[in-house]
Structure formats: structure tokens, C-alpha cells
Amino acid sequence: MHPLLSLGVFWLLPLALTLGEDSPLDCIPRRTVLYNRDNAHLFHEEGVFNYSTMLLREDLGLLMLGAREAVYALDLNNVSKKLASVKWEVTDKQKTDCKNKGKDLETECKNYIRTLHKMDDNRMYVCGTNAFDPECDYMSYVDGILTLEKKIEDGKGKCPFDPFQRYASIVVDDSLYSATSMNFLGSEPVLMRNSDTSIRTEFKSSWLNEPNFVSMAQMPESEKSYQGDDDKVYLFFSETAVECDCYNKLVVSRVARVCKGDVGGLRTLQKKWTSFLKARMDCPVLESQLPYIIQDSYRWCDLQQPWKDCLFFAIFTPQSDTSGLSAVCVYRVSDISRVFAEGKYKSPVTVETSFVKWVMYSGEVPVPRPGACIDNAARKEGIKVSLDLPDRTLQFIKDKPLMDHVIQPIGEKPLLVRKGATFTCIIVNQAQAADGNKYHVMFVGTEEGTILKAVNYDGEMFIIEEVQLFKPPEPIKILKFSNVTGQLYAGSDYGAVQIPLATCGRSLSCMDCVLARDPYCGWDKVAGKCVALSDAQSELIQSVKDGNATLCPGADPVKPVNQIIWPGGNLKLHCPSPSNLANIMWQQDDRSLSFSPLILHQPDGLLILNASYSNAGRYRCVSVERSKVAEYTTTIAEYQVNVDPDAGKDGHRFGPQPQRGGPSVAGLQAVVGLLVVSILALLAWNFYKGHLPLPWECRNKNREQSQQSHEQGDLNATVTKGPALAEDKPLVSGADNGSRNNNHTDGEVGFSAAEGENAPEVSLPSLQFIDDESEI
């Protein structure tokens, strides 16, 4: 058996056991919001794709959006408004050269904008793949005009060649840190700082081995540091593990870091990082055997707290596609920093002269510590910059950049595990609820173009809603949000959208508002509606931890809607569920309604077929939803149904109507006559030409064939004289499906009549005969 396949089998066993019990996988969004134009502001320009690079310019009120061969300046308050744009297209020669190198002319030989950063002089630095020949330029926005300055720079090491290759970049103190590939083939991955003292990683598999770069973040670790430490730049990526003793390639998740003041070594590691260290990250999901792979990360920091309290939220997906699970794990920056500062190293050891095994290094560690930044202790020894580091320290880090310790998430388990659409990206915002506590609200993008809005309340993961942003569904590739506007921005191949962080208006009642458990929203007693906390004019009702809706005032009684139907007709009573966590119950005259083939419970209502007088009465649709403290019952809709044989009279006719003002009967008869004559003439011509045999010739021929087959059968019976080998049975027994659905004497499905303007729209499903178990 294939090794990975066998691992997959064992991996699925705990998954199957877990799915049978209550588990985090049962965490479904309380509300599902289908695609609607009113959900978000959308920007899309015809013929332009891949809107996957974003830069917030809150100082200019702009969202800078990089796409394929174009950069846009959009209104930060309404991204559907384009304020300026600039095209950056490849030349015909560049297209030809790209095609001659074996790349696709329509997809790969374009200029995909991949790098977009603000510089200290207020300009922007932009790079594109440029038909597999990356280039960079400076861009400015002045007086409403976006301009490329045409100061073209070589983009190798700054921007990927391949538009579909993962990459990461960040600007720190006007220096671009980039993680990408240095060559056309993508076989020379680097973590590089592009500045006056440019340095990069070694081209060694022990440093970077077939990596997929994810994201980068800067940590101000020099602030208030008693050790005189340096700032760090962290890189998140996945790569093929060199330390794994297995037959097949195993991919693992990593975090690496370098020191901002690193300028390389004097002799060893010249113009190379002397502080590059990396460690494995783990996100344990359901005792999985194969490690989950990091796909995106987000650094969250409280500006009032020291950097050690910062958190990294990261998304993980499985290596095998059999599970359909995605996870979110959270890591403390202090835990990661401690591994690099105090942890053990891994060292390669040659076994049997050919095989290299990585084990924990237990020998003497040089001083200064390999991979450490220059601090006060090093300065006392006369080491002021990395150029002063001794060769012994540099040679150690050159051969052993991997840490032995595996970094575990907070609680050593995921914050969120969900089965369904694969997670693609994440962003986190902190919201202060009415109870005074602050909560991390996660916005998670998926491959199906949806955004999950989720909060963890004291270990309980609660998904507030899932919103469909794109139609058709497009994977969300990037997320940003602005504290200035309180808006979230998402990009995909199709376009970019903007949605508010708080969507309180979707809750129409106090109970619905409280049960949503959204820290952004509360029920305003005076205004009588669900509002954002920042817009509240009076005391708010909110219970995010427990969903306690007992504080809500009594709801106004639901006014019954009169519905009239004639015997044999059909009626749809609408009742949209306010929540995915609620159970919908129907009552008829205050008694629980029993469903039958003629009374169907549908997701959005109740369907009554072939109505009789027993179907008359008062129908009530009730929602029952349970929170942590209680069970709440709400009447959503109420109908008074009357069965009246004269419902279709008085001009109200809902069945098939006679056509008026159409062609006359004589005209129709003439048309039919012409058709008959044409068919007879066509048949006569085919008989004359011999294309069709005459009827009596067919009978004579059939008689001769029957006689020949009878004689042949007698001959065979004489030769074999044995029992029949098989009985003649039909392979398929068919039935006329059409006759099963004719439940009405007039051959048509009737429609219900309704009084006044309150008649709900009736939508009847087609009744189809299912002749296949797979369809059931």
C-alpha cells in the first residue's frame, strides 16, 4: 500500500469517530446570507481579473487595488467608485519571449501586480510579474491622478516570475523584505532584503526546501527591551521537510525570523542572513497523522500592550483532500520568540555514508548564540554588527538553521475546526461588547467566495454568520479592513467588494438581535431596532456570552394573513427561518401539524397539495432556538386558511385562461390542413424514390423472415435437444411516469386565491417521478 494512503486511512479513523459525537465540526453559522447585490459594494472592470493585491491608503481615503495589468485607486468609503487607474501592460516583444519559453500567452504572459507598498516619501512601490520577467516601479497619486513614474527596476527577488506562485513581502524602514523565487524556473527560493545592504538566504535545502510562502510580519522587539534586542521580521511558509524519515515527501508548516539590523557575515555568509532561524508549527486537528499546512496568517496586536502579548492567527488545511476540514490556530509571539532565543537546534547526521538524519543537537553551542540578534551582551564583547560575528558562530547557523522544538498553538488545539468550504485567508478585529469585555472577531475567507464571521466566547466557538460575496462563487484571495471606515475589503479573481464589520440591520427583532451574539450589535430600546454599539442612543440589550434574550420586551403579536383556496387547489404558506440553529414547527388550530404526502414541510414554508375542507384553519409557524441559558420560541408567521369552492369566481381565475385576441379558429384549421398536406406529399415522394418501403412489401418481407427463422429454429432444436439456457425476460420494466402526476381532473395544478394585498406569492414545485435511488 502507498505510504501516504495508509497514513490517510489511519487519519480518517479518529475523524469518523469524532463526527459521530458532538464536536467542533457541528459549529455551523447561525445565519447564512445568500448573494445579493445589496450585501456589498462591488468593483469589477470588464476584461480585468485577479484583484488580489491591496494597499489601504487611509491618509488619502483610498483603497489601492492591484489586478492583472492594472492598478486602481478606489474610494475607501465606496469601492464601487473608481477615482483613478493606471494600466501596466506587457509589450508584444515580452509576450513573444514569454510564449517562446513555453508559457501560456493568455494567462501567464501578462503582468500580474504582486507587490504594492507605501514608502516613507508617500509614494508607492509596485511590482508585477511582467510576462515572467518581473519589474518594479514607483507610483504616485496627486490631484486625483495615478501615475507610474517609469523608473523601472529589476524585480528579481522582489516579485515572483510565476503569477500563480505563492509569495510574501513587507516594507520595514523603507526596505523591502520579500520571499519569492530568484529565477525563471522557480527553483531558487529566497528570503531577501532589498536595500543598500541587500542580503538573502542561502540556496540550500536545509534553509528553504521547495517552499510555499504565505505571509510576513514585523515585530518591534527592540521597544523597551532591557537586553537591547533588535526588531524582527517573521516569515510564515510551508516546505518539504528535510528532517522527516519517510519514503515520500512530507510538507510541514514553518515560521522563520531574521533580525532587522542583520548585514551578513564578513567571510562566512557574506551578504547572507546570519540570523535566519526557522521552526516547525503544529496545528493538531483530530489527532491527524499528516500535519496540516498553513495557508495564511494575521498578526494582531493591542497597541496598549507590549509586543509579547501579540498573537498570530493562522489558517491550516489538510495535505490530503479526503477530510474537507479547515482550522484556525492561534500562537503567542512570546512563545515563538522563546523557541528561537532558548530552544535546541536540529543537526544533520550522516548515517551509513549516504542517508542524512536530523536529530536534536546536544553539543556545545558557540557564543554569541547562533542566529541571535546583536544585543547588549554582544556589544560588551566588541560585537557591534553582524560583520563582527566569529566564523564559528556563522558556520554553525549556516549548517543548522532549524530548531528542534515544535511551536504549539494556545491550548495546544485549534480555535476553530470546520468541515466545508476550504479556508483561504483570515483577518481579525477586536470589538468591545456592551459588557465591557473585548473579543477577537475573526473574518475568514473561503474558496466558495464566502466570509465567516466568528468569535470564541470562553472556549465556545460561535459563527455569527456566513455571507456570500461573489456570484459565481470565487475564492477569496485577500482580506483587509479599515478602522477609519469600519469596513472590510475582500479581493478575488472576479473583483473586489466592501462590507461593514457590523451588520446589525439583518436582525429585525430583539430576540433575533440578542441570539445573534454579535459583539458589534445590540438592541436599542428607544429606537426599537438592532444597532451598532457605536450608533446607540440609549441602553442596549446584548448578551454575547450566553445569548440571554429574557431581557427583551414582549414582541408584538403577529397579524394573521387570510388565505383562500378552493378544493383540490394548492397553497404555499411562507415561513423563512431566522436562524440555522432554530427548529421550525407548524401548528394548525394550536395543535402540532402532522405532515403527509399532501402536506409538505419545506425549508422556506409549508406546501398544501390537493386541498380539502380539513385543511381549513389557523396555521402558525414557530421558531424554536436554544442558547446557553434557555430555549426561545418565536411566532414567525400566522395564516387563516379558508377553503371556498367559489374562490376562483368573480373575475379571480388562477387556472389556465382562454386566449383572447389571438388567431381565429378558421385560421388555425387552415394551418393544420397545410401541415397535413405537406406531410402526405413528403411521404409520397419518399415512397416513389424508394427511401421508404411500401406497407405491403414490409408485410411480405416480415412473413419471409418469420418463416426462415422458424425453419432455422427447428434445425437448432433438432441438433441440441437440450433445455433452454436462459429465460426470455425483459431487462427493464418501465412505467408511464406521466400518469402518476395527474392528480387533477383538468390536467393542470391550480393556484390558491388570496384576499387583499397580503396574498403571499405562490411557488409550486414540479412533482417528478424519481426512478433512481441515487436521486433520493
Side-chain angles (χ1 to χ4, degrees), residues 15-26:
L15 172 62
L17 294 175
T18 308
L19 287 176
E21 307 170 358
D22 292 337
S23 70
L25 304 184
D26 298 327

Side-chain angles (χ1 to χ4, degrees), residues 252-288:
V252 296
S253 302
R254 304 277 201 211
V255 56
R257 70 113 172 96
V258 292
C259 302
K260 186 178 71 173
D262 193 345
V263 292
L266 183 61
R267 290 179 297 272
T268 305
L269 293 179
Q270 287 185 6
K271 296 186 178 180
K272 309 292 192 334
W273 295 106
T274 65
S275 56
F276 178 83
L277 290 173
K278 64 179 182 178
R280 179 181 162 188
M281 300 178 69
D282 191 23
C283 184
V285 180
L286 300 178
E287 301 178 1
S288 57

Side-chain angles (χ1 to χ4, degrees), residues 372-384:
C373 299
I374 306 300
D375 57 11
N376 292 336
R379 294 185 187 99
K380 287 182 180 180
E381 299 297 326
I383 303 173
K384 301 183 183 301

Side-chain angles (χ1 to χ4, degrees), residues 499-521:
I499 60 173
L501 299 180
T503 53
C504 310
R506 293 194 178 112
S507 297
L508 302 180
S509 68
C510 177
M511 185 173 295
D512 189 28
C513 183
V514 174
L515 291 178
R517 300 172 67 183
D518 190 335
Y520 294 108
C521 304

Side-chain angles (χ1 to χ4, degrees), residues 420-495:
T422 303
F423 294 170
T424 57
C425 49
I426 184 172
I427 202 165
V428 181
N429 186 36
Q430 189 180 72
Q432 183 169 349
D435 59 9
N437 294 322
K438 296 179 179 179
Y439 301 96
H440 293 122
V441 184
M442 299 185 297
F443 296 89
V444 182
T446 73
E447 281 193 348
E448 295 182 359
T450 62
I451 290 284
L452 294 175
K453 183 180 181 181
V455 188
N456 189 279
Y457 295 120
D458 296 335
E460 178 204 6
M461 177 51 64
F462 186 78
I463 302 179
I464 299 168
E465 64 182 7
E466 182 174 15
V467 185
Q468 183 79 43
L469 296 185
F470 296 99
K471 183 181 180 181
E474 288 280 349
I476 295 176
K477 295 190 171 182
I478 189 170
L479 287 173
K480 298 280 186 181
F481 77 84
S482 169
N483 286 318
V484 174
T485 62
Q487 300 284 310
L488 183 73
Y489 306 91
S492 72
D493 280 339
Y494 177 75

